[in-house]
Amino acid sequence: MALIVEKYGGTSVGSVERINAVADKVVHSRNNGDEMVVVVSAMSGETNRLLGLAGDINPEADSREVDVLVSTGEQVTIALLSMALHRRGLDARSYTGGQVHIRTDNTHGRARIVEIDDARVRRDLRKGRVVVIAGFQGVDEEGNITTLGRGGSDTTAVAMAAALGADECRIYTDVDGVYTADPRIVPDARRMEQITFEEMLELSSLGAKVLQIRSVEFAGKYKVPLRVLSSFEEGPGTLITYEESKMEQPMISGIAHNADEAKITVRDIPDRPGIASKLLGPIADAHINVDMIIQNVGTDGNTDMTFTVPRSDLVASMELLQELAVELGAKEVVGDEGMAKISVVGVGMRSHSGVASKMFAALAGEGINIQLISTSEIKISVVVEEKYMELAIRTLHKAFNLSEAAAEQ
Ligand code: ADP
Ligand code: ASP
Ligand code: MG
């Protein structure tokens, strides 16, 4: 008998028909004799609807109250799924995050899981019950409801699987696995049979929303056997692996994109030691995440500094920088919100050279101007104007032959 944690995302529980279909799948797994824990998201569109309501009432709504509100989306689906399971003759119980002691820190809106006391879940499993848990939520030390950030139900599922020592964690979604690029943008993207944990971590952190980054971090830390599958059709999905493959790896495994980028340039700032820290320190203090940074070689004792921030933080960053610019003697601060980051990822990059030049040549061939570049051992990212994003992704997918299986690349 195996212990399986299954997670169903928003589209997979987006209607009464879909919830019934999920219940049928759970019955099927249970009939195999497996112990089942099922984590569900809110019905698709519900979290956005609730956030919209909060914004209409108070654009600066208190984050504690926003969490009380948005966590209700998942409470609806756990109850409905349990009812559907009862109707199929299964003993099932639904629980909110707090009820199964998913303890988090108190950073409302993007809380981190600190610990899980799984005693209650284990008790139910021993009684033969299917345990249905609300994704995306927990409670802090004082019992306040918290949420784990967009896409956080993935993290609930993987963390639960880690706590329970589950035999497998299955993330059911609206695509049948992890692809070489977002299949909505690249029609001939290829599903991967398996992907290394390291690559999945990069793809998720660079924007591939098929798995929330924190779920991948958890999976790596506890070596959770993790698979991404479709809730709409049968198939093997994509397995996340932890072993270094002995086979030669392709140069590039996948492409990720993130359209949530804004670029800021501070022009003609006196080029003195400490200038970067004076500019970026206050931004960091405001909890704004600066991503790529370039400082140009100075002329006449002045220099330009360019960096990217999440688009939703552009206004706040500009306000901070306008003040600093005057203080530090810079000429002007220019913000541009229409940026996108595109990244190619592959562990094979370690043993292949020429990836960057191939990437830049392919983009140049389409007349796409690269604005910022950053590299690490297994990825290269570029920032381009957002209007070129889809073209850039398709161009790179083709240039690196990603629709062909690794052996043919
Ligand atoms: P769920 O609601 O089930 O959590 P998400 O919308 O969060 O689903 O994630 C699934 C989506 O992720 C897919 O519909 C797809 O558009 C997108 N996606 C982005 N990059 C990839 C990729 N490399 N492979 C598969 N899906 C991807
Ligand atoms: N319902 C939440 C969201 O839309 C969490 C999730 O679906 O994973 O982000
Ligand atoms: Mg998701």
Side-chain angles (χ1 to χ4, degrees):
M1 186 170 58
L3 199 172
I4 308 293
V5 176
E6 293 188 343
K7 177 256 171 177
Y8 293 89
T11 318
S12 306
V13 294
S15 64
V16 168
E17 291 74 41
R18 290 301 313 155
I19 292 175
N20 278 323
V22 167
D24 289 338
K25 278 183 92 69
V26 173
V27 168
H28 185 76
S29 304
R30 184 79 187 105
N31 286 347
N32 281 340
D34 294 337
E35 291 185 312
M36 299 289 304
V37 173
V38 185
V39 174
V40 282
S41 291
M43 295 168 89
S44 52
E46 180 63 5
T47 308
N48 287 343
R49 188 185 73 87
L50 294 167
L51 287 170
L53 285 177
D56 289 346
I57 294 280
N58 181 351
E60 277 155 34
D62 181 71
S63 59
R64 179 189 182 279
E65 305 311 324
V66 174
D67 277 355
V68 172
L69 177 71
V70 293
S71 61
T72 60
E74 273 72 10
Q75 197 167 333
V76 170
T77 44
I78 52 169
L80 292 175
L81 179 60
S82 293
M83 292 171 196
L85 292 171
H86 293 162
R87 200 164 172 195
R88 285 160 180 77
L90 284 189
D91 189 2
R93 282 247 176 133
S94 67
Y95 293 107
T96 63
Q99 286 175 316
V100 285
H101 305 288
I102 297 178
R103 252 252 293 124
T104 71
D105 63 18
N106 60 6
T107 331
H108 287 288
R110 52 192 163 96
R112 282 180 179 274
I113 297 178
V114 179
E115 65 176 357
I116 296 179
D117 171 9
D118 59 14
R120 190 165 187 177
V121 176
R122 287 189 189 279
R123 234 178 0 250
D124 275 348
L125 290 174
R126 272 199 300 276
K127 288 183 182 154
R129 289 182 178 139
V130 175
V131 181
V132 181
I133 299 175
F136 179 55
Q137 55 180 262
V139 286
D140 72 7
E141 213 171 18
E142 286 167 11
N144 299 299
I145 296 174
T146 56
T147 62
L148 310 179
R150 299 309 303 267
S153 299
D154 297 333
T155 302
T156 306
V158 177
M160 210 67 223
L164 292 164
D167 295 287
E168 188 163 87
C169 181
R170 300 175 186 152
I171 305 290
Y172 284 100
T173 181
D174 54 5
V175 282
D176 65 346
V178 180
Y179 276 69
T180 47
D182 188 337
R184 288 179 209 286
I185 294 181
V186 184
D188 63 350
R190 182 174 47 83
R191 178 179 60 81
M192 293 179 248
E193 284 292 318
Q194 51 180 54
I195 180 168
T196 65
F197 156 73
E198 268 184 295
E199 288 171 321
M200 194 65 240
L201 195 65
E202 286 283 2
L203 286 176
S204 287
S205 79
L206 295 166
K209 70 169 183 166
V210 61
L211 285 176
Q212 197 202 32
I213 174 71
R214 283 184 188 162
S215 72
V216 186
E217 287 167 0
F218 253 103
K221 191 162 170 200
Y222 298 98
K223 299 282 181 294
V224 175
L226 182 62
R227 200 179 274 282
V228 176
L229 311 115
S230 165
S231 68
F232 292 79
E233 54 191 271
E234 291 291 314
T238 301
L239 179 72
I240 310 326
T241 60
Y242 301 97
E243 300 279 302
E244 273 289 322
S245 169
K246 298 271 178 302
M247 283 171 17
E248 187 167 3
Q249 297 286 331
M251 203 147 76
I252 298 300
S253 297
I255 301 176
H257 68 277
N258 183 0
D260 175 41
E261 302 270 331
K263 179 182 80 168
I264 300 176
T265 302
V266 183
R267 276 203 220 293
D268 273 341
I269 188 163
D271 193 5
R272 285 194 303 262
I275 210 79
S277 113
K278 284 205 175 99
L279 271 181
L280 299 179
I283 303 261
D285 292 343
H287 301 289
I288 295 171
N289 223 345
V290 172
D291 183 13
M292 293 188 187
I293 305 169
I294 333 181
Q295 183 179 337
N296 286 343
V297 178
T299 47
D300 305 331
N302 281 349
T303 188
D304 289 349
M305 196 151 171
T306 303
F307 49 90
T308 58
V309 294
R311 209 172 278 177
S312 52
D313 291 328
L314 179 63
V315 174
S317 309
M318 290 293 288
E319 277 168 13
L320 277 172
L321 287 165
Q322 305 284 13
E323 270 177 43
L324 283 168
V326 177
E327 246 171 67
L328 300 173
K331 195 162 150 210
E332 62 174 344
V333 184
V334 188
D336 189 338
E337 62 171 9
M339 294 290 140
K341 180 167 71 174
I342 294 144
S343 311
V344 297
V345 171
V347 288
M349 250 185 239
R350 288 189 180 124
S351 50
H352 288 93
S353 56
V355 179
S357 59
K358 189 166 179 175
M359 181 177 188
F360 303 157
L363 294 173
E366 292 294 332
I368 301 171
N369 192 30
I370 300 171
Q371 311 228 355
L372 292 96
I373 301 169
S374 84
T375 64
S376 76
E377 213 191 356
I378 65 164
K379 74 119 206 278
I380 302 172
S381 300
V382 295
V383 169
V384 301
E385 276 183 74
E386 193 193 357
K387 63 181 179 202
Y388 297 124
M389 182 180 83
E390 298 204 356
L391 175 64
I393 299 169
R394 290 193 199 107
T395 301
L396 294 172
H397 199 269
K398 193 148 181 236
F400 288 102
N401 251 336
L402 295 185
S403 33
E404 309 290 329
E408 277 101 61
Q409 275 176 29

